[in-house]
Amino acid sequence: LKGEVISEKGKVGDVDEYVKKSQKRSELERKENKEKTGVFTGLYAINQLTGYEMPVWIADYALMGYGTGAVVGVPGHDRRDFEFAKAHDLKIIRVVVGLDGDESDIESLDQVQEKEGKMVNSQFLNGLDIHEATRKIMDYIVEKGWGEKTITYHIHDWSVSRQRYWGTPVPIIHCPKDGIVPVPEAELPVLLPYDVDFQPKGKPPLASNEEWLKVKCPKCGGSAKREAETMDTFVDSSWYFFRFLDPNLETGVFDIDLCKKIMPVDIYFGGAEHTLGHTLYSRFFTKFFHDLILTDLEEYALRRINHGTILGPDGSKMSKSRPESVVNPDEEVKKYGADTIRLYLAFLMPYEATGAWDRERVNGPYRFLQRVWGLKEKIGDLSLSEPDLREMNRTIKAVSEDLEAIKFNTAVARLMEWLNYLSSKEKVARQEYKNLLLLLAPFAPHIAEELWQFLVNSEEGRENSENSWSVHQQSWPEFDEKYLEDPETIIVVQVNGKVRDQFKLSKNITEKEVLEMAKKSEKVSKFLKGEMGASREIKKTVFIPGKLLNIVN
């Protein structure tokens, strides 16, 4: 820096007065203010690249949240800097020529080029694209030892206040003398008044209660007013998972010991909107609590899954402005029942995908549940065959793994396959039907409960009904590894390297047994004969147990 703040008469006083005035305005007001105000400090910063003496000004549109809070004004290529330079008669130097090729002095706002162009009046950067020049100048500054490259993240401004009644009153007091003053901690929380006018009259409902608004300033004791707006419910929903550990706790923000036992959340489900909204600020609150040493958590959830979007029947996003694109779930539930709609939503597509509502396809899950209901007439006391055990254990394994992986559509598809298998039998074992209901319960909880009651209260099921009051109180079924593998396998038969037939056989079958079967196969035998129909000599065979037999002749 060159010069002193006191080098011009009154400069210190001007700066102090301007800073105090700016502090009474919110950051949002400063950003939105079109009038570019500022005060000259009397100081000059030396540009180490050119030796140019840059006047140092204090301006309220430069915010501490961006970079270091001190910025180099580039009035020729930043619209706000241009407006500031024009307002205070500062020099404007062109350093970029845009796609329009304009090289004249920058006199109007439409000449300001912010995003694209080539460098000019910039010494060794001349002719470079501005993005390439930015990288080169950073490398040059690091090489000279004048600075270091760094990445600064800025959290998106969060508009938390709302002009409505429901919500937490913003704990702020507005004082004519001291400006914005927070409500003292001992007076928190600020409670909503009941005597308010909810009719829209150009002001928040809380502003209609003049007595509630009146308050003494915590700093000076003078007359002041409460903030009349409330906080968006987004604020509460961004940390509710901490508070809900013990919602009745009165000795702290949340129960720290319970947090250690229960948190973090196993899976957080959200949509596209939540990815940059709710999730971002939930992480913000978690890190805030971490800094306050209220939790040792760095993240509030172990895993996040974003759900897809159900579009209207016409494939467009549902909108109130286009009633024909909207599907009312209440009406669909009246037609088919809640379980059918739940099952359809699970089966429609992968959980994270986006797709259109198809009224015709709702019939599929509806018929599936009807078939599950009708299957109860086939229940009998019988032992399970080897194929029965394989189908049941494979289904339990597949549905369990799909649920864990949030692959609801394939889980339902597997249940449908198993139902087809069960329906093809003359009788269904009680154990099979019981496991079918247990696997179905997360998708169709109501019909599963009704059928469970039928199962445990029937004559055959009564004596085994202990601890079986509800299907939703049961342990999840487990599968037996020994029934997962099929004892049979497909063995391909080739003649001279070309596939001629295949057989489903025992995995333990020998090469000799497969060869004998191949010779009897019409598809294979005709390639083992010569022109006159005589058998040709088999020169050799290549056998891969359980997979392949290749005959060479």
Side-chain angles (χ1 to χ4, degrees):
L1 292 174
K2 179 182 180 181
E4 297 180 1
V5 173
I6 59 173
S7 62
E8 295 184 25
K9 185 178 179 182
K11 200 58 64 179
V12 171
D14 290 347
V15 170
D16 287 345
E17 183 180 345
Y18 183 78
V19 169
K20 288 179 181 178
K21 184 179 178 181
S22 297
Q23 286 176 333
K24 292 182 180 181
R25 303 170 68 195
S26 69
E27 185 174 296
L28 183 61
E29 290 174 327
R30 290 162 56 193
K31 287 169 63 178
E32 294 180 346
N33 185 26
K34 294 182 179 180
E35 181 186 1
K36 294 297 182 287
T37 64
V39 61
F40 180 46
T41 64
L43 295 169
Y44 292 84
I46 310 300
N47 186 325
Q48 290 177 286
L49 295 169
T50 64
Y52 178 69
E53 296 181 3
M54 300 181 292
V56 179
W57 286 68
I58 292 179
D60 66 356
Y61 78 91
L63 306 174
M64 286 301 296
Y66 290 88
T68 62
V71 296
V72 177
V74 189
H77 308 290
D78 183 284
R79 299 174 71 87
R80 295 179 305 165
D81 290 349
F82 175 83
E83 292 170 345
F84 185 84
K86 278 293 188 181
H88 300 282
D89 198 24
L90 300 176
K91 192 173 182 180
I92 299 175
I93 302 174
R94 175 185 286 281
V95 294
V96 176
V97 174
L99 300 177
D100 57 6
D102 182 10
E103 297 183 14
S104 63
D105 292 341
I106 299 174
E107 298 292 340
S108 62
L109 193 59
D110 58 7
Q111 288 180 283
V112 175
Q113 176 55 255
E114 294 182 309
K115 297 181 179 179
E116 301 296 337
K118 302 287 185 181
M119 300 296 295
V120 295
N121 301 322
S122 302
Q123 298 184 11
F124 65 94
L125 300 176
N126 285 342
L128 295 178
D129 173 81
I130 58 173
H131 304 293
E132 184 182 353
T134 300
R135 293 189 291 270
K136 188 167 184 177
I137 195 63
M138 287 193 294
D139 292 339
Y140 185 79
I141 290 172
V142 171
E143 182 185 331
K144 290 291 185 180
W146 296 338
E148 295 179 356
K149 287 190 286 187
T150 186
I151 297 175
T152 301
Y153 294 96
H154 175 73
I155 194 167
H156 193 281
D157 291 335
W158 189 8
S159 177
V160 299
S161 63
R162 295 290 182 267
Q163 292 192 336
R164 60 191 184 199
Y165 180 75
W166 59 91
T168 306
V170 178
I172 289 294
I173 293 171
H174 298 278
C175 175
K177 179 182 177 182
D178 296 300
I180 297 174
V181 181
V183 173
E185 186 175 348
E187 297 178 19
L188 296 177
V190 178
L191 301 178
L192 287 167
Y194 289 101
D195 186 13
V196 297
D197 184 358
F198 296 100
Q199 296 298 321
K201 295 178 180 177
K203 59 182 180 181
L206 297 184
S208 67
N209 190 324
E210 293 289 342
E211 288 302 314
W212 182 83
L213 287 179
K214 293 178 183 178
V215 68
K216 296 293 183 182
C217 173
K219 273 192 174 182
C220 68
S223 297
K225 281 191 173 183
R226 294 187 186 277
E227 173 57 58
E229 297 189 5
T230 58
M231 285 190 279
D232 190 343
T233 50
F234 217 143
V235 177
D236 296 328
S237 68
S238 292
W239 67 282
Y240 70 91
F241 35 82
F242 283 102
R243 182 62 187 172
F244 277 16
L245 294 170
D246 184 354
N248 300 314
L249 185 72
E250 296 184 358
T251 57
V253 182
F254 60 87
D255 193 313
I256 296 175
D257 292 331
L258 267 179
C259 179
K260 291 179 179 178
K261 293 179 181 178
I262 299 176
M263 294 286 285
V265 175
D266 293 312
I267 303 177
Y268 169 76
F269 292 91
E273 171 193 349
H274 287 62
T275 303
L276 294 178
H278 188 272
T279 305
L280 175 65
Y281 292 107
S282 295
R283 297 184 71 217
F284 173 85
F285 265 93
T286 303
K287 294 183 183 298
F288 173 64
F289 289 146
H290 180 275
D291 290 347
L292 292 178
I293 320 178
L294 293 176
T295 178
D296 56 3
L297 293 176
E298 289 283 359
E299 300 290 348
Y300 71 96
L302 295 175
R303 182 182 177 196
R304 187 188 73 215
I305 296 176
N306 296 326
H307 63 67
T309 302
I310 305 295
L311 304 175
D314 59 356
S316 64
K317 193 169 184 179
M318 296 188 199
S319 171
K320 292 179 182 177
S321 62
R322 296 177 57 256
E324 68 277 6
S325 70
V326 177
V327 175
N328 186 333
D330 292 339
E331 293 178 2
E332 300 300 312
V333 168
K334 285 180 182 178
K335 292 179 189 175
Y336 300 101
D339 282 346
T340 295
I341 302 306
R342 285 173 60 103
L343 199 65
Y344 171 67
L345 289 172
F347 184 58
L348 175 61
M349 58 189 175
Y351 185 78
E352 69 281 359
T354 294
W357 182 275
D358 188 339
R359 289 188 169 93
E360 294 299 320
R361 291 186 62 190
V362 180
N363 289 315
Y366 182 69
R367 289 192 298 269
F368 169 78
L369 292 179
Q370 286 182 315
R371 290 175 62 203
V372 171
W373 184 275
L375 194 65
K376 70 180 189 299
E377 304 302 328
K378 285 189 174 185
I379 297 174
D381 285 323
L382 64 150
S383 57
L384 296 177
S385 66
E386 191 83 8
D388 291 340
L389 288 168
R390 284 201 301 275
E391 285 296 323
M392 184 175 72
N393 281 277
R394 285 176 184 174
T395 302
I396 293 172
K397 181 178 187 293
V399 174
S400 301
E401 292 177 349
D402 283 347
L403 279 175
E404 188 70 26
I406 319 298
K407 295 181 177 180
F408 303 143
N409 59 322
T410 54
V412 173
R414 181 55 190 155
L415 286 174
M416 291 178 172
E417 290 176 9
W418 193 30
L419 178 63
N420 288 338
Y421 175 84
L422 295 176
S423 300
S424 67
K425 298 168 55 176
E426 289 187 11
K427 285 289 183 180
V428 175
R430 184 174 299 277
Q431 184 64 31
E432 289 176 303
Y433 198 68
K434 173 183 175 183
N435 282 330
L436 176 64
L437 297 180
L438 291 173
L439 297 178
L440 181 64
F443 304 101
H446 308 92
I447 193 172
E449 183 64 43
E450 286 292 327
L451 290 170
W452 182 264
Q453 294 304 316
F454 166 80
L455 189 68
V456 299
N457 289 309
S458 62
E459 288 296 328
E460 297 82 357
R462 243 178 226 145
E463 41 186 75
N464 298 317
S465 62
E466 186 180 355
N467 299 321
S468 56
W469 182 77
S470 169
V471 69
H472 305 296
Q473 290 184 322
Q474 308 310 305
S475 298
W476 189 253
E478 297 181 359
F479 57 87
D480 192 330
E481 292 278 355
K482 70 181 181 181
Y483 295 113
L484 298 181
E485 287 193 25
D486 194 332
E488 294 184 324
T489 185
I490 300 295
I491 297 180
V492 175
V493 177
Q494 297 178 337
V495 178
N496 297 325
K498 293 186 178 181
V499 176
R500 300 306 181 187
D501 204 351
Q502 61 182 29
F503 309 111
K504 187 171 184 180
L505 303 167
S506 169
K507 290 181 179 179
N508 300 320
I509 196 166
T510 64
E511 178 181 357
K512 183 179 179 181
E513 291 172 319
V514 177
L515 182 58
E516 289 302 317
M517 289 189 68
K519 289 178 179 179
K520 295 176 183 178
S521 166
E522 291 184 7
K523 295 179 181 180
V524 178
S525 61
K526 62 183 177 180
F527 294 100
L528 300 180
K529 296 176 181 179
E531 294 181 0
M532 303 301 292
S535 296
R536 295 170 60 181
E537 178 186 358
I538 296 177
K539 295 178 180 178
K540 68 173 182 177
T541 58
V542 178
F543 182 63
I544 301 177
K547 292 184 178 180
L548 178 140
L549 173 68
N550 184 28
I551 303 170
V552 181
N553 61 7

